[in-house]
Amino acid sequence: MQITAVYRKLYRQHGPQHWWPGETPFEVMVGAVLTQNTAWSNVEKAIANLRAARLLDAAAIIRTRPARLAKLLTPSGYFNVKARRLRSLCAWYVEQGGFDALSQRDTSRLRSELLALHGIGPETADDILLYAFERPVFVIDAYTRRLFKRLGLIAGDETYEALRAGVERRLARGDDRIALFNEFHALIVAHAKNICRPRPRCEVCCLARTCPATVV
Ligand code: SF4
């Protein structure tokens, strides 16, 4: 099956996903750090805590005592770890001049700088690049690996970089790549959470007719 056909079928089944939930690019960045190893509903509670404390601001987060920040992040789990990661991201963000200054950088430099920060791996960096900085970078996560492996599009044990580059190559080039990558990743997450689960619900899957892993 062509990867673009997967996109079209997922879009028909699930409709537009309107990602990423977040009122500002900075809030998207915060969400990308907090969503590591936890459900989005928990991230929403932690972000609500930050908003209520008027801390959805990089400079304000840096000024906040680590223990207080960690307490506000409690709903997102691993709150001490995430507080350190968030402070590191915010320190870089402020030092580099904030969103407008960072937006001037090319994607590969921005990506390298994000990957050099404490606790930012490729998936989080690419979430930030795609959804906060609107760069044409395809996000690979465990859902993408599971779905694409079942569909026979990948072997499943490729490195992150090999998968990302391979998927980007197979998707059409053009002005709408950012919108396509944005929607496709969100659709993969929706499909993997609701249908192509660890125990797949192939009987209601739009890809079942051509999926080699169909179980009916
Ligand atoms: S047919 Fe089944 S295994 Fe294949 S993608 Fe759909 S839910 Fe997953």
Side-chain angles (χ1 to χ4, degrees):
M1 187 186 305
Q2 293 280 337
I3 198 165
T4 45
V6 174
Y7 171 75
R8 281 197 301 275
K9 288 180 184 207
L10 291 181
Y11 190 85
R12 269 202 297 276
Q13 179 156 26
H14 299 284
Q17 299 297 301
H18 307 292
W19 270 37
W20 178 294
E23 289 177 14
T24 64
F26 179 70
E27 190 177 322
V28 170
M29 296 170 77
V30 171
V33 170
L34 299 187
T35 200
Q36 296 169 344
N37 303 308
T38 196
W40 183 253
S41 54
N42 298 326
V43 176
E44 286 178 323
K45 290 176 196 150
I47 288 180
N49 285 348
L50 292 175
R51 181 173 284 113
R54 298 181 182 281
L55 286 180
L56 270 177
D57 173 87
I61 285 176
I62 299 167
R63 284 196 302 271
T64 304
R65 279 184 301 109
R68 179 167 184 243
L69 181 60
K71 192 163 180 223
L72 292 166
L73 300 184
T74 302
S76 69
Y78 306 100
F79 45 87
N80 285 316
V81 171
K82 288 184 179 175
R84 275 200 301 280
R85 291 178 180 177
L86 196 52
R87 286 173 65 84
S88 159
L89 177 70
C90 290
W92 167 78
Y93 186 86
V94 170
E95 276 165 18
Q96 301 304 316
F99 188 77
D100 290 342
L102 289 166
S103 292
Q104 304 302 315
R105 299 200 175 153
D106 68 43
T107 303
S108 70
R109 179 176 170 196
L110 211 43
R111 192 165 195 270
S112 307
E113 291 187 17
L114 283 165
L115 288 172
L117 297 175
H118 170 71
I120 304 279
E123 184 187 331
T124 305
D126 290 344
D127 277 337
I128 291 172
L129 287 169
L130 177 60
Y131 292 105
F133 288 98
E134 299 186 340
R135 303 302 172 92
V137 174
F138 199 88
V139 178
I140 302 291
D141 62 0
Y143 293 137
T144 311
R145 253 177 220 278
R146 181 168 78 215
L147 179 64
F148 284 5
K149 184 176 177 197
R150 285 176 173 172
L151 291 171
L153 293 169
I154 61 169
D157 57 358
E158 296 92 337
T159 63
Y160 184 98
E161 294 305 331
L163 269 186
R164 181 179 69 83
V167 172
E168 287 176 7
R169 245 192 333 270
R170 288 157 85 169
L171 288 168
R173 304 205 77 79
D175 293 343
D176 57 354
R177 264 165 92 77
I178 297 164
L180 172 67
F181 291 2
N182 175 323
E183 195 65 60
F184 202 172
H185 177 61
L187 286 165
I188 289 168
V189 172
H191 200 68
K193 274 185 174 172
N194 298 306
I195 294 175
C196 195
R197 297 172 169 186
R199 179 183 289 187
R201 299 170 60 216
C202 303
E203 68 283 3
V204 290
C205 177
C206 58
L207 304 164
R209 231 159 43 91
T210 44
C211 174
T214 305
V215 185
V216 279

